[in-house]
Amino acid sequence: VDPERVQLRLAADHDRSIRALMVVHNETSTGVTSDIRTIRAAVDAAGHPALLLVDTVSSLASMDYRHDEWGVDVTVACSQKGLMLPPGLGFNALGERALAAAGDAGLGRSYWDWRAMLAANADGHFPYTPPTNLLYGLREALAMLSEEGLENVFARHRRHAEATRQAVRAWGLEVLCQDPARYSSSLTAVLVGDGGDADRVRQVALERYDLSLGAGLGRLAGRVFRIGHLGSLNDLMLAGTLCGVELSLARAGAGTGRGGVEAALDHLRGD
Amino acid sequence: VDPERVQLRLAADHDRSIRALMVVHNETSTGVTSDIRTIRAAVDAAGHPALLLVDTVSSLASMDYRHDEWGVDVTVACSQKGLMLPPGLGFNALGERALAAAGDAGLGRSYWDWRAMLAANADGHFPYTPPTNLLYGLREALAMLSEEGLENVFARHRRHAEATRQAVRAWGLEVLCQDPARYSSSLTAVLVGDGGDADRVRQVALERYDLSLGAGLGRLAGRVFRIGHLGSLNDLMLAGTLCGVELSLARAGAGTGRGGVEAALDHLRGD
Amino acid sequence: VDPERVQLRLAADHDRSIRALMVVHNETSTGVTSDIRTIRAAVDAAGHPALLLVDTVSSLASMDYRHDEWGVDVTVACSQKGLMLPPGLGFNALGERALAAAGDAGLGRSYWDWRAMLAANADGHFPYTPPTNLLYGLREALAMLSEEGLENVFARHRRHAEATRQAVRAWGLEVLCQDPARYSSSLTAVLVGDGGDADRVRQVALERYDLSLGAGLGRLAGRVFRIGHLGSLNDLMLAGTLCGVELSLARAGAGTGRGGVEAALDHLRGD
Amino acid sequence: VDPERVQLRLAADHDRSIRALMVVHNETSTGVTSDIRTIRAAVDAAGHPALLLVDTVSSLASMDYRHDEWGVDVTVACSQKGLMLPPGLGFNALGERALAAAGDAGLGRSYWDWRAMLAANADGHFPYTPPTNLLYGLREALAMLSEEGLENVFARHRRHAEATRQAVRAWGLEVLCQDPARYSSSLTAVLVGDGGDADRVRQVALERYDLSLGAGLGRLAGRVFRIGHLGSLNDLMLAGTLCGVELSLARAGAGTGRGGVEAALDHLRGD
């Protein structure tokens, strides 16, 4: 999401018909991040009252993110990515302006209504059946993140993402994200290039190597596969994954199918 | 164990003072196998009545082994290697001559006495507390092995062992086992060579890469480390393991620390 | 839900302003069921086009329920009760009229929109991240229910519910549900009666006996506690539970605190 | 084991042909304990050098036991009873005299030889493959016991054992152990009495109530069943167990099949 376009678009919204700006911090389908802090500044520069809503589903606990400091009104997250749990928990961080807007809102809603949750949460309860099992898991996940230290967690993911990109280039393939400042630390989307079939690579990886790679979505279907490197992952898990991609590329006839693991190991050899 | 030496030694035992010949099928500390079938032939050629006792702890269900067909009198195995379970179960396969010898034996024994076990097993019981949890696990392990097919299991381990040896050579190191006919499919012992410190490699692997490598034992201490590749292991688990060894070698300054993974992947690229 | 009142109310709705009738099959807060088949007949007798929507959250797979045969338009269920799984899966069974109504509906919706789910389900996919872990669990839960046989599952729960009610009466307490035809097989809500404090009983049960009893909700708060007996439960689990209630009642000074377990065992003694 | 008989027998052993006295602290087949402290005194009073060896397999961590304070030479224990783990770990506590005797002993031995274990344990290792999984479990079991406090653990088991005996008497059956001073807190063996068939009770319990009761062993076969109440057990687990025994007795036509649970609950009602 381009902050300049945000500012221009909001500045042109003279009658304030735009109520909210919704941004995905880390776009799971492309491996491209958005610069939330600068987008916030763009909204402010436009002097526009739109709320800033941010989806951090695939970034939270894998990349630095700051709800308060960056002036976000609503942050949405969930359990099954960087928090290393099964799906089943969603999280909302709410600012004062968002709460006020929710009070005024006219959309019919029930389960998604923050007011029932806030009322029950006040004394530690839930208005509906909570997934208690996941709350125990969350306690442990947070303990693991604290033990490693968030800064170290983020650095680990940056290092793994860079090793992955080195592998992609060595395979003669292209990282979908073209702006290094917007690289994702959670996942890397890989363009297979002319003559390659990303879905064939994925099929070989799954059937032959028991390795599940993400598919290209929408107009990227068949042209892109995605390598996830978020959550509880260490150097050798990443290395094994990249070995699987290299073998799958070779067998599917996409890219060179060689040298990527070596390049990744070269990066991992450093600190 | 050299069959010729066995034959000579037994032939020279004119008063039949040797009661049994004990052989380890796959020597865990060195990654060297013995040719049980030929050893049996050597015993027979010597016309000696010694029993043939074979330890298959680290070979059973990873390499071909035939108690009856090879004429073994007692085979010993356990749960925690190729059967993919925790430690806690031991197995004995007994031939008629071994049972007869046990009846005559004078050594004081209780827990190790086959007779109590055979009597209770006759109607499906155990004379002592059985590890029921491991028996359930064993049922599942045997189902897994049957589903894959024993021939395929053995071929998978042979392929992984060869990929590992290719890696070792590319690192400029030496496989401890010098006779290709006696290579182990379960594990590979690696000689670090002059100037290298095998225990330093193991320490780096454990502390930095969460990878546990076997130590050299006895006179091989410090000169050898061992890579296990038995049990439930697929191509990417092996590849991740070899990446960990390569990174550890580089960091510990042993061997070239390069090219081994590439060589292994080259082997895995084939069928 | 009284079918006669339903019929009268719908018959009086001359301008068809009522769009849907929503009924809970088994009311979790009271242990009272509704007769869906008769309610359907009442809607039909009134000649009213309202949709019949039924919540089977705490009845499905514990009590007989028939979406098609009873003419229900929408059935809602979930994973964490009779299906014996953690929370995290919701199920909708949809009739043709419900699907048509959804197409016409004006309420803003996204996650709750059946159309996205139906489109993706057509070839076995989900439009959003599915809880794959729970789908594996569901497969096993359905296998367990099939193995026991649904009729046997329902009979087991009826038997446990009756044993529980026998215990309640022996304790000198009252089952909240006053109509035997509407008893729940999933849970029993118990009125503690004058002088008793249901929340004190629950507190003792939890703190002293590690037994979690349901609270009275709304105007029943403090007057009612609830005993769940659904899902994977056998005679001795129920008996242990009732022992815990009996001990808690005695310690909390509610009811007689005696004789309930004996009465329940008398019922369980039969088939 | 009667201390007086021990003293007489040892005093009569003028040529010191008895090398060791072996006592089971809590006899699993009968639910009868022996008074180790008094037996030690009897050995000492006889002035006999025999070693005192004690089996605490089914008592350790369920009943008070003191290796050093009671002057025991060798204590044997294992993982699968009071320590709440699967089978697979055995423990020996050794006194100085036992170690000296082991050095002098002439019996052929290898796996059971303490010297190999002591040598390896000196720096935290094992001479053979250790069941690492059980060692992690042991750490947690010991933490659980420490958290509850050993005195509280022992008191809990005493209370459960007494509640069980009250139930047995109410059923018109007999506790096998006739001396209250020698009651076991780990298990209760129950004499079914004339006309009853203990194995039929056990069969009903298993098939109909999914409850596994211990069999009578040796000359007690068919006349005795055993109720275990050791390890991680709370009031309601015990109560559910006793409900299962009561229902099984009724169905098998042994004892009155009534009133036992009520009697046990009466005991549990107190502190």
Side-chain angles (χ1 to χ4, degrees):
Chain A
V1 173
D2 179 353
E4 286 186 39
R5 289 184 59 190
V6 165
Q7 183 170 347
L8 289 173
R9 182 79 177 75
L10 290 178
D13 179 38
H14 299 297
D15 57 358
R16 303 315 194 208
S17 65
I18 295 173
R19 301 290 304 275
L21 174 65
M22 298 187 286
V23 183
V24 176
H25 183 214
N26 179 72
E27 176 53 55
T28 310
S29 61
T30 59
V32 179
T33 63
S34 283
D35 180 352
I36 304 302
R37 188 198 292 264
T38 306
I39 291 168
R40 170 82 265 171
V43 176
D44 293 346
H48 194 287
L51 294 170
L52 178 58
L53 320 184
V54 182
D55 168 340
T56 67
V57 166
S58 61
S59 63
L60 195 78
S62 300
M63 285 176 266
D64 198 8
Y65 179 79
R66 298 169 188 246
H67 173 81
D68 289 322
E69 189 179 327
W70 294 353
V72 179
D73 294 298
V74 179
T75 298
V76 174
C78 66
S79 56
Q80 81 269 19
K81 302 272 185 182
L83 292 174
M84 305 174 286
L85 294 167
L89 278 175
F91 306 93
N92 287 177
L94 311 176
E96 290 299 328
R97 292 180 59 229
L99 284 170
D104 297 341
L107 179 71
R109 71 213 121 124
S110 170
Y111 188 83
W112 300 129
D113 195 334
W114 291 331
R115 291 167 297 191
M117 184 63 81
L118 288 167
N121 278 187
D123 57 351
H125 290 90
F126 284 81
Y128 316 115
T129 301
T132 313
N133 51 332
L134 294 181
L135 293 171
Y136 281 112
L138 180 61
R139 183 193 292 173
E140 184 63 20
L142 295 177
M144 288 167 68
L145 291 167
S146 290
E147 190 179 320
E148 184 174 356
L150 273 182
E151 280 310 316
N152 296 325
V153 172
F154 299 154
R156 174 166 55 84
H157 290 306
R158 276 196 305 271
R159 186 163 164 274
H160 285 169
E162 179 57 28
T164 302
R165 290 187 296 264
Q166 301 281 356
V168 170
R169 287 170 198 134
W171 292 322
L173 304 178
E174 200 178 332
V175 174
L176 183 66
C177 178
Q178 297 180 334
D179 178 359
R182 304 269 56 86
Y183 283 152
S184 167
S185 292
S186 302
L187 82 149
T188 300
V190 181
L191 265 168
V192 168
D194 296 339
D197 177 347
D199 288 340
R200 172 75 185 135
V201 175
R202 293 176 56 243
Q203 184 187 11
V204 168
L206 185 63
E207 293 177 1
R208 180 145 187 115
Y209 299 109
D210 206 13
L211 173 68
S212 177
L213 296 169
L217 302 174
R219 61 181 177 175
L220 296 171
R223 300 172 53 216
V224 153
F225 65 86
R226 295 174 294 144
I227 304 170
H229 34 74
L230 81 179
S232 176
L233 197 84
N234 66 19
D235 283 9
L236 303 194
M237 291 162 163
L238 178 72
T241 300
L242 297 177
C243 287
V245 176
E246 182 157 320
L247 291 168
S248 300
L249 288 169
R251 193 166 285 269
T256 64
R258 304 194 73 89
V261 171
E262 187 68 29
L265 292 182
D266 276 346
H267 186 72
L268 295 176
R269 250 176 266 270
D271 275 322
Chain B
V1 172
D2 180 352
E4 287 186 40
R5 289 184 59 190
V6 165
Q7 183 171 346
L8 289 173
R9 184 78 175 75
L10 291 178
D13 180 37
H14 299 296
D15 56 358
R16 303 316 195 208
S17 66
I18 295 174
R19 300 288 305 274
L21 174 66
M22 297 189 285
V23 183
V24 177
H25 182 215
N26 179 73
E27 177 53 54
T28 311
S29 61
T30 58
V32 179
T33 63
S34 285
D35 180 352
I36 304 302
R37 188 198 293 264
T38 306
I39 291 168
R40 169 82 265 171
V43 176
D44 293 346
H48 195 286
L51 295 170
L52 177 58
L53 319 184
V54 182
D55 168 340
T56 67
V57 167
S58 61
S59 63
L60 194 79
S62 300
M63 285 176 264
D64 198 8
Y65 180 78
R66 299 170 185 244
H67 173 81
D68 289 322
E69 189 179 327
W70 294 352
V72 179
D73 294 298
V74 178
T75 298
V76 173
C78 66
S79 56
Q80 79 271 16
K81 301 274 185 178
L83 291 174
M84 306 174 286
L85 294 167
L89 278 175
F91 306 93
N92 287 177
L94 311 177
E96 291 299 328
R97 293 180 60 229
L99 284 169
D104 298 340
L107 179 70
R109 71 214 121 125
S110 170
Y111 188 83
W112 299 128
D113 195 333
W114 292 330
R115 290 166 297 189
M117 184 62 80
L118 288 168
N121 278 188
D123 57 351
H125 290 90
F126 284 80
Y128 316 115
T129 301
T132 313
N133 51 333
L134 294 181
L135 293 171
Y136 281 111
L138 180 62
R139 182 193 293 175
E140 184 63 20
L142 295 177
M144 289 167 67
L145 292 167
S146 289
E147 189 179 321
E148 184 173 356
L150 272 182
E151 280 310 315
N152 296 325
V153 171
F154 299 154
R156 172 165 56 84
H157 290 305
R158 277 195 303 271
R159 185 164 164 271
H160 286 168
E162 179 58 29
T164 302
R165 290 187 295 265
Q166 301 281 357
V168 169
R169 287 170 198 133
W171 291 322
L173 304 178
E174 200 178 332
V175 173
L176 182 66
C177 179
Q178 297 180 333
D179 177 359
R182 302 270 56 87
Y183 283 153
S184 166
S185 291
S186 303
L187 83 147
T188 300
V190 182
L191 267 168
V192 168
D194 296 339
D197 177 348
D199 288 340
R200 173 74 186 136
V201 175
R202 294 176 54 242
Q203 184 188 12
V204 168
L206 186 63
E207 291 178 2
R208 179 145 188 116
Y209 300 108
D210 206 12
L211 174 68
S212 176
L213 296 170
L217 302 176
R219 61 182 178 175
L220 296 170
R223 300 172 53 215
V224 153
F225 65 86
R226 294 175 294 144
I227 304 171
H229 33 75
L230 83 178
S232 176
L233 196 84
N234 67 20
D235 284 9
L236 303 194
M237 291 163 163
L238 178 73
T241 300
L242 296 177
C243 287
V245 176
E246 181 157 321
L247 290 168
S248 300
L249 288 169
R251 193 166 284 270
T256 65
R258 305 194 72 89
V261 172
E262 187 68 30
L265 293 182
D266 276 345
H267 186 74
L268 295 177
R269 251 176 264 271
D271 275 321
Chain C
V1 172
D2 180 352
E4 287 186 41
R5 289 184 58 190
V6 165
Q7 185 171 345
L8 289 173
R9 183 77 176 76
L10 290 178
D13 179 37
H14 299 296
D15 57 357
R16 304 315 194 209
S17 67
I18 295 173
R19 301 289 304 274
L21 174 66
M22 296 187 287
V23 184
V24 176
H25 182 215
N26 180 72
E27 178 53 55
T28 311
S29 61
T30 58
V32 179
T33 63
S34 284
D35 180 352
I36 303 302
R37 188 198 292 265
T38 306
I39 291 168
R40 169 82 265 173
V43 176
D44 293 344
H48 193 287
L51 295 171
L52 177 58
L53 320 184
V54 182
D55 168 341
T56 66
V57 167
S58 61
S59 63
L60 194 78
S62 299
M63 285 177 265
D64 198 8
Y65 179 79
R66 298 169 188 247
H67 173 79
D68 290 322
E69 189 179 326
W70 294 353
V72 179
D73 294 298
V74 178
T75 298
V76 174
C78 66
S79 55
Q80 80 270 17
K81 302 273 185 180
L83 291 174
M84 306 173 286
L85 294 167
L89 278 176
F91 306 93
N92 288 177
L94 311 176
E96 290 299 327
R97 293 180 60 229
L99 284 170
D104 297 341
L107 179 71
R109 72 214 119 125
S110 170
Y111 188 82
W112 299 129
D113 195 333
W114 292 330
R115 291 166 297 191
M117 184 63 80
L118 288 168
N121 278 186
D123 58 350
H125 290 89
F126 284 80
Y128 316 114
T129 302
T132 312
N133 52 332
L134 294 181
L135 293 172
Y136 280 111
L138 180 61
R139 183 193 293 175
E140 184 63 19
L142 295 177
M144 289 167 67
L145 292 167
S146 290
E147 189 179 320
E148 184 174 356
L150 273 182
E151 281 310 315
N152 296 326
V153 171
F154 299 154
R156 173 164 58 83
H157 289 306
R158 277 196 303 271
R159 185 163 164 273
H160 286 170
E162 179 58 29
T164 301
R165 291 187 294 265
Q166 300 281 357
V168 170
R169 287 170 196 133
W171 290 323
L173 304 179
E174 199 178 333
V175 173
L176 183 67
C177 179
Q178 296 180 334
D179 177 359
R182 302 268 56 86
Y183 283 153
S184 167
S185 291
S186 303
L187 83 149
T188 300
V190 182
L191 267 168
V192 168
D194 296 339
D197 177 347
D199 287 339
R200 173 75 185 133
V201 175
R202 294 176 55 244
Q203 185 187 12
V204 168
L206 186 62
E207 291 177 2
R208 182 148 186 112
Y209 300 109
D210 206 12
L211 173 68
S212 177
L213 296 169
L217 302 176
R219 61 181 178 176
L220 296 171
R223 300 172 52 215
V224 153
F225 66 86
R226 294 175 294 144
I227 304 170
H229 34 75
L230 83 178
S232 175
L233 197 84
N234 67 20
D235 283 10
L236 303 194
M237 290 163 164
L238 177 73
T241 300
L242 297 177
C243 288
V245 176
E246 182 157 321
L247 291 168
S248 300
L249 288 169
R251 192 166 286 269
T256 64
R258 305 194 71 90
V261 171
E262 186 68 30
L265 292 182
D266 276 346
H267 186 74
L268 294 177
R269 250 176 265 270
D271 275 321
Chain D
V1 174
D2 179 353
E4 286 186 40
R5 289 184 59 191
V6 165
Q7 183 171 349
L8 288 172
R9 183 78 176 75
L10 291 179
D13 179 38
H14 300 297
D15 57 356
R16 302 318 193 207
S17 66
I18 294 173
R19 301 288 304 274
L21 174 66
M22 297 188 285
V23 183
V24 177
H25 183 214
N26 179 73
E27 177 54 54
T28 310
S29 61
T30 58
V32 178
T33 63
S34 284
D35 179 353
I36 304 302
R37 188 198 292 265
T38 307
I39 291 168
R40 170 81 265 171
V43 176
D44 292 346
H48 194 286
L51 294 171
L52 178 58
L53 319 184
V54 182
D55 169 341
T56 65
V57 167
S58 61
S59 63
L60 194 78
S62 300
M63 285 176 264
D64 198 8
Y65 179 78
R66 299 168 187 247
H67 173 80
D68 289 322
E69 188 178 328
W70 295 352
V72 179
D73 294 298
V74 178
T75 298
V76 174
C78 66
S79 56
Q80 80 270 17
K81 301 273 185 181
L83 291 174
M84 306 174 286
L85 293 167
L89 278 176
F91 306 92
N92 287 178
L94 311 176
E96 290 299 326
R97 292 180 60 230
L99 284 171
D104 297 341
L107 179 70
R109 71 213 121 125
S110 170
Y111 189 83
W112 300 129
D113 195 332
W114 292 331
R115 290 166 297 190
M117 184 63 80
L118 288 167
N121 278 187
D123 57 350
H125 291 88
F126 284 80
Y128 316 116
T129 302
T132 313
N133 51 333
L134 294 181
L135 294 171
Y136 281 111
L138 180 62
R139 183 193 292 173
E140 185 63 20
L142 295 177
M144 289 168 68
L145 291 167
S146 291
E147 190 179 320
E148 184 174 358
L150 272 182
E151 281 309 316
N152 296 324
V153 172
F154 299 154
R156 172 164 58 83
H157 289 305
R158 277 196 303 271
R159 185 164 165 272
H160 286 169
E162 179 58 28
T164 301
R165 291 187 294 264
Q166 300 281 356
V168 169
R169 287 170 197 134
W171 290 322
L173 304 178
E174 198 177 333
V175 173
L176 183 67
C177 179
Q178 297 181 332
D179 177 359
R182 303 268 56 87
Y183 283 152
S184 167
S185 293
S186 302
L187 82 149
T188 300
V190 181
L191 266 168
V192 168
D194 296 339
D197 177 346
D199 287 340
R200 171 76 185 134
V201 175
R202 294 177 56 243
Q203 185 188 11
V204 168
L206 186 63
E207 292 178 2
R208 182 150 185 112
Y209 299 109
D210 206 13
L211 174 68
S212 177
L213 297 170
L217 302 175
R219 62 181 178 175
L220 296 170
R223 299 173 52 216
V224 153
F225 66 85
R226 294 174 295 145
I227 304 170
H229 34 74
L230 82 179
S232 176
L233 196 86
N234 67 21
D235 283 9
L236 303 194
M237 290 163 164
L238 177 73
T241 300
L242 296 177
C243 288
V245 176
E246 182 157 319
L247 291 168
S248 301
L249 288 169
R251 191 166 285 269
T256 64
R258 305 193 72 90
V261 172
E262 186 69 30
L265 292 182
D266 276 346
H267 185 73
L268 294 177
R269 250 176 265 271
D271 276 320

